Amino acid sequence: MSVQRTLRRATTCAGIGLHSGSKVTLSLRPAPADFGIRFRRADMGGLEVPATADHVGGINYATGLTRDAVKVDTVEHLLAALVSLGIDNAVVELNSPEVPIMDGSAAPFIYLIQEAGVKTQAAPRRYIKVLRPMSLSRGDKRIALYPSDHFKVTYSIAYDHPLLREQSRTLRLSESVFVDEIAPARTFTFLKEVEQLRQRGLALGGSLENAIVIGETGVLNNALRFTDEFVRHKILDAIGDLALLGHPVVGHLVAHRGGHGLHTAFAAQVMAEKDAWTLVEGAAVSAPQAAGSLAAVPLEAE
Ligand SMILES: [Zn+2]
Protein backbone atom coordinates (compact mmCIF):
# COMPACT_ATOMS: atom_id res chain seq x y z
CA MET A 1 0.00 0.00 0.00
CA SER A 2 1.11 3.53 -0.73
CA VAL A 3 1.49 5.76 2.29
CA GLN A 4 1.99 9.48 2.73
CA ARG A 5 5.49 10.89 2.76
CA THR A 6 7.24 13.96 4.09
CA LEU A 7 10.83 15.15 4.26
CA ARG A 8 13.28 13.49 6.59
CA ARG A 9 14.77 16.81 7.75
CA ALA A 10 14.70 20.50 6.92
CA THR A 11 16.75 21.88 4.06
CA THR A 12 17.41 25.38 2.70
CA CYS A 13 18.41 27.12 -0.51
CA ALA A 14 18.65 30.73 -1.65
CA GLY A 15 18.02 32.47 -4.93
CA ILE A 16 16.09 35.29 -6.57
CA GLY A 17 12.49 35.67 -7.69
CA LEU A 18 12.07 35.57 -11.48
CA HIS A 19 9.48 38.33 -11.58
CA SER A 20 10.31 40.37 -8.45
CA GLY A 21 14.09 40.11 -8.76
CA SER A 22 14.18 39.92 -4.94
CA LYS A 23 16.59 37.76 -2.99
CA VAL A 24 14.82 34.95 -1.14
CA THR A 25 15.70 32.10 1.20
CA LEU A 26 13.55 28.98 0.90
CA SER A 27 13.38 26.22 3.52
CA LEU A 28 11.56 22.91 3.14
CA ARG A 29 10.47 21.37 6.45
CA PRO A 30 8.80 18.09 7.42
CA ALA A 31 5.07 18.18 8.25
CA PRO A 32 2.62 15.69 9.80
CA ALA A 33 0.32 13.36 7.83
CA ASP A 34 -2.71 15.03 6.17
CA PHE A 35 -1.03 18.45 6.50
CA GLY A 36 -0.58 18.91 2.75
CA ILE A 37 1.85 21.45 1.28
CA ARG A 38 1.68 24.88 2.86
CA PHE A 39 3.70 28.02 2.11
CA ARG A 40 4.76 29.97 5.19
CA ARG A 41 5.96 33.59 5.12
CA ALA A 42 8.71 33.90 7.73
CA ASP A 43 8.79 37.65 7.01
CA MET A 44 5.09 37.91 7.95
CA GLY A 45 5.19 36.24 11.34
CA GLY A 46 4.76 32.76 9.88
CA LEU A 47 1.38 33.33 8.17
CA GLU A 48 0.51 30.39 5.89
CA VAL A 49 -1.25 29.78 2.61
CA PRO A 50 -2.08 26.18 1.65
CA ALA A 51 -1.12 25.02 -1.87
CA THR A 52 -4.69 24.32 -2.97
CA ALA A 53 -6.80 25.44 -5.93
CA ASP A 54 -9.08 27.58 -3.73
CA HIS A 55 -6.13 29.84 -2.86
CA VAL A 56 -5.05 30.66 -6.42
CA GLY A 57 -4.56 34.37 -7.01
CA GLY A 58 -2.33 36.57 -9.11
CA ILE A 59 -1.70 34.62 -12.30
CA ASN A 60 0.89 36.65 -14.23
CA TYR A 61 3.17 34.36 -16.26
CA ALA A 62 3.45 32.31 -13.03
CA THR A 63 1.10 30.79 -10.48
CA GLY A 64 0.49 32.71 -7.25
CA LEU A 65 -1.37 31.82 -4.08
CA THR A 66 -3.10 34.23 -1.71
CA ARG A 67 -4.90 34.03 1.60
CA ASP A 68 -5.88 37.25 3.37
CA ALA A 69 -2.73 39.40 3.32
CA VAL A 70 -0.41 36.48 2.50
CA LYS A 71 0.82 36.12 -1.06
CA VAL A 72 3.30 33.69 -2.59
CA ASP A 73 4.27 33.76 -6.27
CA THR A 74 5.79 31.36 -8.79
CA VAL A 75 4.98 28.20 -6.85
CA GLU A 76 4.62 25.84 -9.82
CA HIS A 77 8.13 24.39 -10.34
CA LEU A 78 8.61 23.61 -6.65
CA LEU A 79 5.13 22.05 -6.40
CA ALA A 80 5.85 19.89 -9.46
CA ALA A 81 9.04 18.60 -7.81
CA LEU A 82 7.32 17.91 -4.47
CA VAL A 83 4.32 16.06 -5.93
CA SER A 84 6.45 14.11 -8.42
CA LEU A 85 8.81 12.89 -5.68
CA GLY A 86 5.79 11.79 -3.67
CA ILE A 87 6.03 14.43 -0.94
CA ASP A 88 2.49 14.80 0.41
CA ASN A 89 3.24 16.91 3.48
CA ALA A 90 5.71 19.79 3.83
CA VAL A 91 6.11 23.37 4.99
CA VAL A 92 7.70 25.68 2.41
CA GLU A 93 9.07 28.65 4.31
CA LEU A 94 10.02 31.85 2.46
CA ASN A 95 11.30 35.23 3.67
CA SER A 96 10.01 37.03 0.55
CA PRO A 97 6.83 36.72 -1.59
CA GLU A 98 8.33 34.75 -4.50
CA VAL A 99 9.79 31.23 -4.71
CA PRO A 100 13.36 31.43 -6.10
CA ILE A 101 13.58 30.65 -9.81
CA MET A 102 16.95 28.83 -9.45
CA ASP A 103 17.92 27.76 -13.01
CA GLY A 104 14.36 28.06 -14.37
CA SER A 105 13.68 24.31 -14.04
CA ALA A 106 12.64 21.95 -11.23
CA ALA A 107 16.03 20.17 -11.12
CA PRO A 108 17.47 22.25 -8.21
CA PHE A 109 14.34 21.45 -6.15
CA ILE A 110 14.83 17.74 -6.90
CA TYR A 111 18.37 17.99 -5.47
CA LEU A 112 17.05 19.87 -2.44
CA ILE A 113 14.37 17.24 -1.71
CA GLN A 114 16.85 14.41 -2.24
CA GLU A 115 19.27 16.14 0.14
CA ALA A 116 16.53 16.34 2.80
CA GLY A 117 15.58 12.70 2.26
CA VAL A 118 12.10 11.20 2.32
CA LYS A 119 10.27 9.78 5.32
CA THR A 120 7.20 7.56 5.05
CA GLN A 121 4.25 8.23 7.33
CA ALA A 122 1.60 5.95 8.80
CA ALA A 123 -1.41 7.39 6.95
CA PRO A 124 -2.44 6.01 3.54
CA ARG A 125 -1.98 8.27 0.53
CA ARG A 126 -5.17 9.14 -1.31
CA TYR A 127 -5.33 9.74 -5.04
CA ILE A 128 -7.88 11.54 -7.21
CA LYS A 129 -9.03 8.81 -9.60
CA VAL A 130 -10.76 10.26 -12.65
CA LEU A 131 -14.09 8.52 -13.40
CA ARG A 132 -15.32 10.53 -16.39
CA PRO A 133 -13.81 13.16 -18.72
CA MET A 134 -13.61 16.79 -17.63
CA SER A 135 -12.49 19.61 -19.92
CA LEU A 136 -12.09 23.36 -20.18
CA SER A 137 -11.59 25.38 -23.38
CA ARG A 138 -10.74 29.04 -23.92
CA GLY A 139 -10.55 29.88 -27.61
CA ASP A 140 -8.07 27.42 -29.13
CA LYS A 141 -6.61 26.57 -25.71
CA ARG A 142 -7.88 23.39 -24.14
CA ILE A 143 -7.21 21.17 -21.14
CA ALA A 144 -8.90 17.92 -20.12
CA LEU A 145 -8.62 14.94 -17.81
CA TYR A 146 -9.65 11.45 -18.91
CA PRO A 147 -9.87 8.18 -16.98
CA SER A 148 -6.64 6.14 -17.04
CA ASP A 149 -4.97 3.57 -14.82
CA HIS A 150 -1.87 5.79 -14.60
CA PHE A 151 -0.94 9.45 -14.41
CA LYS A 152 -0.16 10.41 -17.98
CA VAL A 153 0.30 13.82 -19.58
CA THR A 154 -0.08 14.74 -23.24
CA TYR A 155 0.88 18.32 -24.02
CA SER A 156 1.02 20.19 -27.30
CA ILE A 157 2.15 23.75 -27.98
CA ALA A 158 2.01 25.91 -31.09
CA TYR A 159 3.62 29.32 -31.60
CA ASP A 160 3.92 31.64 -34.56
CA HIS A 161 7.71 31.78 -34.45
CA PRO A 162 10.21 30.42 -37.00
CA LEU A 163 12.17 28.55 -34.30
CA LEU A 164 9.20 27.23 -32.35
CA ARG A 165 6.13 26.09 -34.22
CA GLU A 166 4.64 22.91 -32.79
CA GLN A 167 5.84 20.43 -30.20
CA SER A 168 3.90 17.59 -28.61
CA ARG A 169 4.76 14.87 -26.13
CA THR A 170 2.99 12.16 -24.15
CA LEU A 171 4.58 10.74 -21.01
CA ARG A 172 3.47 8.25 -18.40
CA LEU A 173 4.76 9.90 -15.25
CA SER A 174 6.67 8.18 -12.50
CA GLU A 175 9.25 9.62 -10.15
CA SER A 176 12.14 8.59 -12.36
CA VAL A 177 10.49 9.81 -15.58
CA PHE A 178 9.86 13.19 -13.96
CA VAL A 179 13.42 13.45 -12.64
CA ASP A 180 15.04 12.44 -15.94
CA GLU A 181 12.69 13.78 -18.62
CA ILE A 182 10.81 16.76 -17.19
CA ALA A 183 12.49 18.34 -14.15
CA PRO A 184 15.53 19.73 -16.09
CA ALA A 185 13.36 21.54 -18.68
CA ARG A 186 13.66 25.31 -18.19
CA THR A 187 11.15 28.10 -18.49
CA PHE A 188 11.27 30.04 -21.75
CA THR A 189 10.33 33.37 -23.22
CA PHE A 190 10.62 35.21 -26.52
CA LEU A 191 13.17 38.01 -26.76
CA LYS A 192 10.52 40.39 -28.13
CA GLU A 193 8.45 39.79 -24.97
CA VAL A 194 11.24 40.46 -22.48
CA GLU A 195 11.05 44.26 -22.73
CA GLN A 196 7.23 44.19 -22.50
CA LEU A 197 7.43 42.04 -19.37
CA ARG A 198 9.96 44.38 -17.75
CA GLN A 199 7.83 47.43 -18.50
CA ARG A 200 5.03 45.70 -16.58
CA GLY A 201 7.36 45.07 -13.64
CA LEU A 202 7.73 41.36 -14.46
CA ALA A 203 10.78 39.18 -15.20
CA LEU A 204 12.97 41.64 -13.21
CA GLY A 205 15.10 38.70 -12.02
CA GLY A 206 15.15 37.02 -15.43
CA SER A 207 18.43 36.26 -17.17
CA LEU A 208 20.00 33.65 -19.39
CA GLU A 209 20.92 31.89 -16.13
CA ASN A 210 17.27 31.09 -15.41
CA ALA A 211 15.32 31.16 -18.66
CA ILE A 212 15.65 30.15 -22.29
CA VAL A 213 15.32 33.28 -24.41
CA ILE A 214 14.22 32.68 -28.00
CA GLY A 215 15.52 35.29 -30.42
CA GLU A 216 14.66 35.66 -34.09
CA THR A 217 17.50 33.42 -35.29
CA GLY A 218 18.26 31.16 -32.34
CA VAL A 219 18.11 30.70 -28.59
CA LEU A 220 20.33 33.21 -26.80
CA ASN A 221 21.49 30.52 -24.35
CA ASN A 222 24.28 28.28 -25.53
CA ALA A 223 22.32 25.07 -25.80
CA LEU A 224 19.01 23.41 -25.09
CA ARG A 225 18.84 20.54 -22.61
CA PHE A 226 16.36 18.69 -24.88
CA THR A 227 15.38 19.46 -28.47
CA ASP A 228 11.78 19.71 -27.24
CA GLU A 229 12.65 21.41 -23.94
CA PHE A 230 9.75 23.84 -24.46
CA VAL A 231 6.91 21.31 -24.42
CA ARG A 232 8.63 19.44 -21.58
CA HIS A 233 8.58 22.64 -19.53
CA LYS A 234 4.86 23.05 -20.23
CA ILE A 235 4.36 19.52 -18.84
CA LEU A 236 6.35 20.60 -15.76
CA ASP A 237 4.13 23.68 -15.33
CA ALA A 238 0.94 21.62 -15.73
CA ILE A 239 2.08 19.06 -13.13
CA GLY A 240 2.87 21.89 -10.71
CA ASP A 241 -0.47 23.60 -11.27
CA LEU A 242 -2.39 20.30 -10.94
CA ALA A 243 -0.61 19.76 -7.60
CA LEU A 244 -3.08 22.34 -6.30
CA LEU A 245 -5.69 19.54 -6.32
CA GLY A 246 -4.03 18.43 -3.07
CA HIS A 247 -3.76 14.76 -4.08
CA PRO A 248 -1.87 12.98 -6.86
CA VAL A 249 -4.04 12.30 -9.93
CA VAL A 250 -4.75 8.94 -11.54
CA GLY A 251 -5.87 9.99 -15.01
CA HIS A 252 -4.67 11.27 -18.36
CA LEU A 253 -4.15 15.03 -18.55
CA VAL A 254 -4.33 16.39 -22.10
CA ALA A 255 -3.54 20.06 -22.76
CA HIS A 256 -3.14 22.17 -25.89
CA ARG A 257 -1.59 25.65 -25.71
CA GLY A 258 -2.31 25.96 -22.01
CA GLY A 259 -0.80 28.33 -19.49
CA HIS A 260 -1.04 28.94 -15.77
CA GLY A 261 -4.44 30.70 -16.09
CA LEU A 262 -5.99 27.74 -17.91
CA HIS A 263 -4.26 25.09 -15.74
CA THR A 264 -5.37 26.64 -12.45
CA ALA A 265 -8.93 27.42 -13.64
CA PHE A 266 -9.15 23.76 -14.62
CA ALA A 267 -7.85 22.66 -11.21
CA ALA A 268 -10.66 24.68 -9.59
CA GLN A 269 -13.18 23.12 -12.01
CA VAL A 270 -11.97 19.61 -11.16
CA MET A 271 -12.41 20.36 -7.45
CA ALA A 272 -16.00 21.47 -8.18
CA GLU A 273 -16.92 18.46 -10.37
CA LYS A 274 -16.95 16.06 -7.46
CA ASP A 275 -19.00 13.42 -9.30
CA ALA A 276 -16.26 13.09 -11.96
CA TRP A 277 -13.64 11.56 -9.65
CA THR A 278 -13.26 9.67 -6.42
CA LEU A 279 -10.58 9.54 -3.75
CA VAL A 280 -8.90 6.12 -3.62
CA GLU A 281 -6.23 4.86 -1.27
CA GLY A 282 -2.86 3.77 -2.59
CA ALA A 283 -3.66 0.08 -2.75
CA ALA A 284 -6.21 0.70 -5.52
CA VAL A 285 -3.65 2.34 -7.78
CA SER A 286 -1.67 0.28 -10.28
CA ALA A 287 0.88 3.00 -11.03
CA PRO A 288 4.46 1.82 -10.49
CA GLN A 289 5.83 2.76 -7.09
CA ALA A 290 9.43 1.87 -7.88
CA ALA A 291 11.60 4.91 -8.46
CA GLY A 292 14.95 4.21 -10.02
CA SER A 293 16.25 7.75 -9.70
CA LEU A 294 15.19 7.90 -6.08
CA ALA A 295 17.29 4.93 -5.05
CA ALA A 296 19.72 7.39 -3.50
CA VAL A 297 17.02 8.95 -1.33
CA PRO A 298 17.14 7.51 2.16
CA LEU A 299 13.75 6.11 3.10
CA GLU A 300 13.02 5.97 6.77
CA ALA A 301 9.85 4.59 8.27
CA GLU A 302 8.19 6.65 10.96
ZN1 LIG B 1 7.30 27.23 -15.66
Side-chain angles (χ1 to χ4, degrees):
M1 184 166 94
S2 180
V3 295
Q4 294 181 32
R5 309 206 296 183
T6 188
L7 301 159
R8 203 149 68 99
R9 58 180 168 273
T11 182
T12 298
C13 71
I16 59 166
L18 174 63
H19 292 300
S20 62
S22 302
K23 281 187 189 166
V24 54
T25 300
L26 176 151
S27 300
L28 299 178
R29 301 185 191 284
D34 297 320
F35 183 91
I37 308 292
R38 296 187 204 169
F39 288 84
R40 180 179 290 167
R41 287 280 301 275
D43 58 326
M44 294 181 72
L47 288 176
E48 289 181 347
V49 54
T52 54
D54 51 340
H55 291 103
V56 168
I59 302 290
N60 230 337
Y61 295 92
T63 297
L65 300 170
T66 56
R67 182 165 77 169
D68 302 327
V70 190
K71 179 169 161 306
V72 177
D73 282 324
T74 317
V75 299
E76 60 271 17
H77 304 162
L78 174 61
L79 289 180
L82 287 166
V83 73
S84 297
L85 294 195
I87 303 297
D88 304 279
N89 305 300
V91 174
V92 180
E93 192 174 280
L94 300 167
N95 64 352
S96 178
E98 191 176 6
V99 173
I101 189 64
M102 310 310 286
D103 70 350
S105 80
F109 298 129
I110 298 289
Y111 303 139
L112 196 65
I113 295 164
Q114 290 180 335
E115 182 187 85
V118 175
K119 185 163 116 177
T120 58
Q121 299 176 294
R125 175 181 290 151
R126 286 174 297 163
Y127 295 79
I128 289 179
K129 182 161 178 60
V130 178
L131 300 176
R132 66 159 170 83
M134 293 167 271
S135 69
L136 175 62
S137 296
R138 287 180 178 171
D140 66 346
K141 301 172 194 299
R142 185 171 187 276
I143 187 166
L145 261 175
Y146 299 94
S148 170
D149 287 338
H150 313 283
F151 180 44
K152 287 198 298 186
V153 180
T154 296
Y155 215 112
S156 55
I157 55 177
Y159 294 93
D160 182 20
H161 190 282
L163 290 175
L164 182 52
R165 297 266 186 231
E166 290 173 9
Q167 291 188 343
S168 179
R169 178 166 278 271
T170 295
L171 280 174
R172 176 175 159 184
L173 271 299
S174 65
E175 294 176 352
S176 59
V177 167
F178 182 82
V179 168
D180 295 337
E181 307 290 340
I182 298 299
R186 294 163 294 170
T187 193
F188 60 93
T189 188
F190 295 94
L191 181 60
K192 63 186 178 194
E193 283 182 358
V194 171
E195 201 46 45
Q196 296 165 16
L197 286 167
R198 294 217 164 137
Q199 282 169 7
R200 294 174 54 196
L202 295 166
L204 300 178
S207 75
L208 294 179
E209 302 299 313
N210 56 34
I212 305 168
V213 178
I214 306 164
E216 287 306 308
T217 56
V219 297
L220 275 59
N221 316 67
N222 287 331
L224 294 175
R225 294 177 177 176
F226 306 97
T227 53
D228 63 349
E229 189 167 357
F230 310 101
V231 73
R232 290 176 191 243
H233 188 80
K234 296 299 271 190
I235 293 174
L236 166 55
D237 281 341
I239 292 170
D241 289 334
L242 262 277
L244 298 172
L245 295 174
H247 299 278
V249 171
V250 183
H252 185 182
L253 181 73
V254 179
H256 177 65
R257 303 198 71 191
H260 297 299
L262 188 74
H263 299 162
T264 56
F266 184 59
Q269 178 182 327
V270 171
M271 292 314 291
E273 287 193 49
K274 295 199 186 305
D275 62 324
W277 48 270
T278 187
L279 282 179
V280 295
E281 293 194 350
V285 176
S286 61
Q289 296 301 315
S293 299
L294 274 193
V297 175
L299 278 169
E300 184 182 273
E302 202 168 52

